[in-house]
Amino acid sequence: MAGIKVFGHPASTATRRVLIALHEKDLDFELVHVELKDGEHKKEPFLSRNPFGKVPAFEDGDFKLFESRAITQYIAHEYADKGNQLLSPGSKNMAILAMGMEIEAHEFDSVASKLGWEQIFKNFFGLTTDQAVVKEEEVKLGKVLDNYEARLGESKYLASDHFTLVDLHHIPVIQYLLGTPTKKLFEERPHVSAWVADITSRPSSQKILL
Amino acid sequence: KQTRSQFYLALTLSSALRQMVMKVYGDGMSACVARVLLCLHEKETEFELVPVDLFACHHKLPSFLSMNPFGQVPVLQDEDLTLFESRAITAYIAEKHKDKGTDLTRHADKEAAIVKLWSEVESHHFNPAISAVIHQLIVVPLQGKTPDAAIVEENLEKLGKVLDVYEEKLGKTKYLAGDSYTLADLHHVPYTYYFMKTGHAGLVNDRPNVKAWWEDLCSRPAFLKVSPGLTVAPATN
């Protein structure tokens, strides 16, 4: 049996999103390293796996996917009976989950990723952090986190009283931001701070750190 | 006396029915609202459209923010459920009414995953580029400002690359996620409709598979019901 393969890079936030989900489900898998600095993701054979040239790509036997959040959802549904529950039963609960995933994708990630890029990844390429951008994006992130603070005052996790894909999708970018001055935005909001500590201390979150 | 009690019964019933019908808060000219309306029509589901005056900034009032703290349309209310984010709303409607109208999500896990994959592609690759162009060419002039040509140019290039991938995919399957129309296609429709009214429709028309796909999406009855509401006109260039 061919099994599960993830084609990605262990430092990539999108790859980590998928790896965390696999660990939550106690699934065996192989991480096939794609060397980003050599542009491997922009060439064949990787492009046949993802024509958009981004990691990760995914295989479960002969079933192939890309887009990290489609992959995590596939894992959560296909392996619903294994490991930790990542979904919520019932169509209204699933709708709340879907909404939470959209908020992460459209409101949180766009801002948080820019902050990660400016403060961490740019340095790998010998570029300088633009503090004006950091300041501007931190204001936006603050507003999103204000919404999260209110939400987390009502339930332990973003979409439910148990950990779900909505919380999981946030972990990789948050882990990077905790190594930057931006971490103060999490620390100064008590419910958000407790939630961040909780989700980043899960065994699956720890397993993917280098 | 009997007529009066019949009258009150009818009033109570119609009020109860009105309460049971889903409410969508927004305006048909908003692309994100149109996304939800298309889905409702595809699923042959009754709904009530509650207008929100965006020009008067009613979406920033506390009464609206209590429904969507991010202050954006659309918002859906279905009995005790309040939802926002258009793609979460379409997923909910498609799932709730999976046994009627068009099958927009597919049911088997692997097929449903492919629909989600191409929905993610629309969300992360297509939408950022096309909405940046629409923002410059439609929204910015409405605010009395001049479009930023550099932003338009940059995003047209990105959009072109995405459409190159679509051109190849649509040479293999009739729709993005396979041979039937799904949410993955539907989510593209409103912004593409506006885009085709700008001077840059060539990006679609010069790619035969993409063009054929777009013309198919425009021929759907649900589209013909929703497109009259997409009334904002772009500056041509």
Side-chain angles (χ1 to χ4, degrees):
Chain A
M1 188 139 130
I4 294 176
K5 289 184 185 169
V6 180
F7 300 82
H9 193 286
S12 139
T13 52
T15 304
R16 287 181 170 186
R17 201 171 275 132
V18 172
L19 301 183
I20 294 173
L22 289 165
H23 287 302
E24 287 286 336
K25 290 301 196 178
D26 293 325
L27 292 168
D28 288 327
F29 65 91
E30 186 192 336
L31 175 61
V32 178
H33 192 99
V34 175
E35 194 54 83
L36 302 180
K37 67 170 165 43
D38 297 340
E40 198 183 325
H41 52 313
K42 303 292 180 191
K43 299 186 261 208
E44 291 296 356
F46 187 82
L47 285 178
S48 299
R49 296 189 175 282
N50 181 356
F52 294 93
K54 295 199 170 181
V55 289
F58 174 89
E59 237 176 50
D60 184 1
D62 6 323
F63 181 62
K64 297 175 163 56
L65 277 185
F66 56 93
E67 287 298 322
S68 64
R69 295 169 185 85
I71 298 167
T72 56
Q73 286 181 70
Y74 165 74
I75 291 165
H77 283 280
E78 182 74 3
Y79 298 99
D81 298 330
K82 288 205 77 183
N84 294 324
Q85 178 56 255
L86 295 175
L87 304 169
S88 254
S91 65
K92 285 180 179 163
N93 288 328
M94 279 307 294
I96 306 275
L97 216 87
M99 183 169 73
M101 288 193 284
E102 291 297 305
I103 294 167
E104 182 274 328
H106 294 283
E107 308 290 341
F108 178 88
D109 189 64
S110 45
V111 176
S113 295
K114 276 194 191 129
L115 286 165
W117 165 251
E118 281 300 329
Q119 298 178 98
I120 300 172
F121 297 105
K122 255 176 134 172
N123 298 332
F124 289 163
F125 297 101
L127 301 167
T128 338
T129 304
D130 183 339
Q131 290 299 343
V133 172
V134 171
K135 201 166 166 187
E136 195 183 317
E137 297 299 317
E138 280 187 345
V139 170
K140 291 179 194 170
L141 184 60
K143 289 185 178 150
V144 177
L145 293 180
D146 286 339
N147 280 310
Y148 282 18
E149 182 68 9
R151 187 108 198 151
L152 293 164
E154 288 161 17
S155 65
K156 190 172 179 203
Y157 297 95
L158 283 175
S160 173
D161 282 316
H162 69 271
F163 178 83
T164 67
L165 282 186
V166 177
D167 313 284
L168 189 157
H169 285 173
H170 289 81
I171 296 170
V173 176
I174 289 180
Q175 283 174 323
Y176 276 117
L177 292 180
L178 289 176
T180 71
T182 303
K183 71 175 178 179
K184 66 182 182 292
L185 296 182
F186 302 114
E187 286 165 354
E188 57 200 19
R189 292 166 174 82
H191 295 127
V192 168
S193 181
W195 170 74
V196 164
D198 182 303
I199 63 177
T200 54
S201 62
R202 291 177 77 85
S204 59
S205 309
Q206 295 292 310
K207 279 182 189 150
I208 53 90
L209 292 175
L210 294 169
Chain B
K1 196 175 164 186
Q2 188 157 23
T3 335
R4 200 174 342 158
S5 63
Q6 277 173 347
F7 171 75
Y8 283 119
L9 182 65
L11 198 65
T12 314
L13 276 175
S14 80
S15 163
L17 271 171
R18 256 206 312 282
Q19 277 156 26
M20 278 166 55
V21 165
M22 287 188 186
K23 287 188 179 156
V24 178
Y25 291 81
D27 190 303
M29 71 166 123
S30 145
C32 298
V33 172
R35 209 174 262 139
V36 170
L37 301 183
L38 280 170
C39 182
L40 287 161
H41 286 297
E42 289 285 348
K43 297 312 269 172
E44 296 159 13
T45 302
E46 291 224 338
F47 65 94
E48 186 190 334
L49 181 61
V50 180
V52 176
D53 190 339
L54 301 177
F55 293 106
C57 287
H58 286 178
H59 54 311
K60 306 294 178 189
L61 293 175
S63 52
F64 189 85
L65 293 174
S66 65
M67 292 194 296
N68 179 356
F70 294 94
Q72 291 168 329
V73 289
V75 168
L76 181 88
Q77 266 181 352
D78 185 16
E79 294 167 7
D80 55 341
L81 177 70
T82 300
L83 272 189
F84 54 91
E85 288 297 326
S86 63
R87 296 171 189 83
I89 296 171
T90 56
Y92 170 69
I93 293 163
E95 179 58 31
K96 182 176 182 181
H97 296 291
K98 62 182 173 213
D99 297 327
K100 64 175 177 162
T102 314
D103 178 7
L104 295 174
T105 49
R106 308 208 188 117
H107 306 311
D109 280 347
K110 288 180 170 134
E111 289 187 20
I114 302 288
V115 176
K116 293 218 173 93
L117 186 166
W118 288 96
S119 301
E120 288 293 302
V121 167
E122 182 275 330
S123 188
H124 295 283
H125 297 279
F126 180 88
N127 187 63
I130 201 171
S131 63
V133 173
I134 298 299
H135 184 82
Q136 291 302 317
L137 297 183
I138 298 185
V139 180
V140 161
L142 286 173
Q143 295 167 338
K145 296 183 263 191
T146 326
D148 184 327
I151 294 180
V152 173
E153 174 100 27
E154 186 191 325
N155 284 286
L156 285 174
E157 204 186 313
K158 286 183 187 168
L159 185 59
K161 289 183 179 152
V162 173
L163 292 179
D164 285 339
V165 176
Y166 284 19
E167 181 65 11
E168 204 180 316
K169 182 69 168 77
L170 294 164
K172 297 176 196 162
T173 55
K174 189 172 182 205
Y175 297 96
L176 283 174
D179 288 316
S180 64
Y181 179 83
T182 65
L183 284 185
D185 309 287
L186 184 156
H187 287 167
H188 289 78
V189 172
Y191 273 121
T192 308
Y193 179 76
Y194 278 135
F195 182 80
M196 295 304 281
K197 292 179 166 190
T198 71
H200 304 288
L203 251 74
V204 167
N205 290 331
D206 294 345
R207 291 171 171 84
N209 296 331
V210 174
K211 182 181 180 197
W213 168 74
W214 173 243
E215 283 169 358
D216 182 296
L217 302 189
C218 292
S219 66
R220 297 184 72 84
F223 175 80
L224 299 171
K225 289 182 183 141
V226 173
S227 58
L230 292 165
T231 51
V232 197
T236 49
N237 251 359

